[in-house]
Amino acid sequence: MTVTEEKKKQVYHSCASCDRDTWHSVVQYHVESEYEYRMDTIYQIVQCCGCHAVSFRRVVRDYESAYPIDDNEWDVPEDITCFPSILKGHRELEDVWDLPDTVREIYTQSIKAIKDNSNILAGIGLRATIEAICNDRGITGRTLDKRIDALARGGLISQKDSERLHAIRFLGNDSAHEIKKADARNLLIALRIIDHLLVNIYILDGEADRRLETIVRTFEQFTTLLEKSLSSFTSGDEVPLAKIFGRDMRRFHGYFAAHEKSLVDTITNGASTKLKIGKVDHFAGSKDKVQHFVVL
């Protein structure tokens, strides 16, 4: 087959963007042949006919190992390597850059190890990803099993999630201490568990905070919302926080009293440039008197 004929070919090839096998057009083609041992190595640049993503494909055809499948037809074994590597059955996280640097680095290296069939390193890497998450979240403990339990106690994961993470801990321990190669299917399951963990702890939180009215738990979140809410008030206005926040009061969910106290302490210490302490009085027919604040 000539180069021109080969370039007109289409091949059924894994597409990283489509996350499945699709037809690809051969854009460029080069072949290297060995004659002492009859074998061709074919290098192809291919383009997905669906999403048009471009990838590289190496095909090694071993003619010495060919065998007949019909009277006039032989099957030639092929060994195919793709770049970028494809991990079938797994769609990589789109928002991976939302992860902390260390967590992202270990996670992506673990995926690369799985793609490269470096299953021992992959098992260690997935276990290390859990360690990195614990470090990032300030979860302490002498051993990883204690830290996983602490993740559950702290409400970052469910009890069922912690049981799954322990399974990954076992897998990683076997890889690290017994130099045991993890089964590829088990690694894929473990990777899906890690994906779920990363999405829940990092990615969904970020998306929810940007787009949804989430619960305001921390004082930092409180002050951010306060500054935003104060934009509709003018200097000299004396109002309670309920007036400042309006419908956003529902977002405090039991944290309001603690946040208001922290705000009073901040103002008293001279660290606030937005508000000062005002009167304590009734507001809008309230049964009890409430603390007012003066907008600066």
Side-chain angles (χ1 to χ4, degrees):
M1 181 177 291
T2 67
V3 172
T4 302
E5 289 172 334
E6 186 69 31
K7 285 175 65 176
K8 290 180 179 179
K9 278 185 60 178
Q10 286 190 339
V11 293
Y12 205 54
H13 174 74
S14 297
C15 178
S17 297
C18 296
D19 193 34
R20 58 189 175 89
D21 290 340
T22 63
W23 285 107
H24 284 64
S25 298
V26 178
V27 179
Q28 289 293 338
Y29 165 89
H30 174 72
V31 61
E32 294 180 356
S33 299
E34 295 185 22
Y35 298 103
E36 290 188 9
Y37 184 95
R38 294 180 59 236
M39 180 177 72
D40 284 346
T41 302
I42 303 154
Y43 302 96
Q44 298 170 325
I45 297 175
V46 296
Q47 185 173 39
C48 177
C49 296
C51 71
H52 305 296
V54 175
S55 56
F56 179 80
R57 191 170 184 262
R58 186 187 68 181
V59 182
V60 178
R61 291 177 180 163
D62 184 359
Y63 295 103
E64 295 285 348
S65 300
Y67 54 91
I69 57 175
D70 206 343
D71 289 341
N72 297 310
E73 187 177 359
W74 288 66
D75 187 84
V76 179
E78 293 183 339
D79 180 56
I80 300 174
T81 304
C82 306
F83 183 84
S85 301
I86 308 295
L87 186 56
K88 290 186 178 180
H90 176 258
R91 181 179 286 274
E92 295 185 18
L93 300 180
E94 294 181 359
D95 303 308
V96 69
W97 290 102
D98 287 344
L99 303 177
D101 291 346
T102 302
V103 175
R104 182 181 65 251
E105 184 69 19
I106 296 175
Y107 168 72
T108 54
Q109 286 191 21
S110 300
I111 292 178
K112 187 177 186 303
I114 297 174
K115 289 179 177 179
D116 293 342
N117 295 316
S118 301
N119 291 9
I120 293 176
L121 295 179
I124 296 171
L126 293 176
R127 183 191 186 281
T129 303
I130 301 174
E131 292 268 18
I133 293 170
C134 291
N135 291 345
D136 177 70
R137 288 293 173 164
I139 304 299
T140 59
R142 294 183 60 186
T143 57
L144 182 56
D145 64 320
K146 302 297 184 185
R147 301 177 83 184
I148 290 173
D149 291 341
L151 281 172
R153 287 196 303 271
L156 288 172
I157 62 174
S158 69
Q159 182 60 39
K160 190 64 178 178
D161 287 334
S162 73
E163 294 171 6
R164 296 182 182 125
L165 294 188
H166 281 301
I168 297 176
R169 177 173 65 85
F170 299 148
L171 184 150
N173 287 348
D174 290 345
S175 294
H177 303 309
E178 299 180 19
I179 320 299
K180 182 178 178 181
K181 182 178 179 180
D183 181 85
R185 291 168 297 181
N186 293 346
L187 285 173
L188 191 56
I189 294 170
L191 180 57
R192 289 170 61 187
I193 294 170
I194 293 293
D195 285 347
H196 173 74
L197 178 67
L198 295 174
V199 168
N200 280 348
I201 291 181
Y202 296 107
I203 296 173
L204 276 184
D205 270 357
E207 291 180 350
D209 288 342
R210 288 191 295 268
R211 298 180 178 274
L212 302 177
E213 294 182 352
T214 56
I215 299 299
V216 179
R217 291 189 178 88
T218 68
F219 186 62
E220 181 182 0
Q221 292 172 319
F222 172 86
T223 54
T224 299
L225 181 60
L226 178 62
E227 290 188 13
K228 179 181 176 182
S229 301
L230 283 173
S231 62
S232 58
F233 292 85
T234 58
S235 179
D237 288 345
E238 187 172 6
V239 289
L241 291 179
K243 176 65 175 177
I244 295 173
F245 288 116
R247 64 183 283 112
D248 281 328
M249 283 293 293
R250 63 183 179 174
R251 298 177 58 187
F252 296 114
H253 195 64
Y255 296 95
F256 177 75
H259 292 333
E260 185 178 46
K261 182 180 183 304
S262 296
L263 176 62
V264 170
D265 292 342
T266 300
I267 295 172
T268 302
N269 294 332
S272 175
T273 60
K274 303 292 184 180
L275 296 171
K276 68 178 182 179
I277 303 295
K279 62 186 178 181
V280 177
D281 201 356
H282 296 283
F283 178 76
S286 62
K287 180 180 178 181
D288 300 319
K289 293 182 178 181
V290 294
Q291 178 67 61
H292 287 55
F293 297 86
V294 180
V295 180
L296 299 178

